[in-house]
Amino acid sequence: GGIESPTAGADVAVIGGVIAAVVFVLICLLVVMVRYMYRHKGTYHTNEAKGTEFAESADAALKNDPALQEAVDESKKEYFI
């Protein structure tokens, strides 16, 4: 057989402890990332005018928008799609 030194068992214990600590930290990071992604799911905000989803046409939606009350000219309508 092989000759084992008395510090061989201590070296294995230290390596095992380091591996266990790294695995513990990785699991904690995974839990934090999953929780963050779950809490911030669906937080997409648009800058569309309020109430335009019920308008019968684009013209009616734009006329009712308070931010656009100062329209330039009715004959110069532009729509961006």
Side-chain angles (χ1 to χ4, degrees):
I3 301 173
E4 293 187 22
S5 65
T7 61
D11 291 342
V12 171
V14 169
I15 292 172
V18 169
I19 291 174
V22 169
V23 169
F24 178 73
V25 168
L26 289 177
I27 290 174
C28 288
L29 285 174
L30 181 67
V31 168
V32 169
M33 285 176 47
V34 167
R35 184 174 180 217
Y36 176 82
M37 290 173 63
Y38 177 77
R39 290 179 60 111
H40 290 84
K41 181 181 177 183
T43 57
Y44 177 73
H45 299 288
T46 62
N47 293 325
E48 295 176 1
K50 303 290 182 210
T52 57
E53 63 270 7
F54 301 114
E56 61 272 358
S57 68
D59 286 332
L62 291 174
K63 285 180 184 176
N64 293 334
D65 186 10
L68 299 175
Q69 290 297 324
E70 302 161 358
V72 179
D73 188 6
E74 284 291 321
S75 64
K76 297 180 182 178
K77 294 179 186 175
E78 295 183 22
Y79 299 99
F80 297 99
I81 299 175

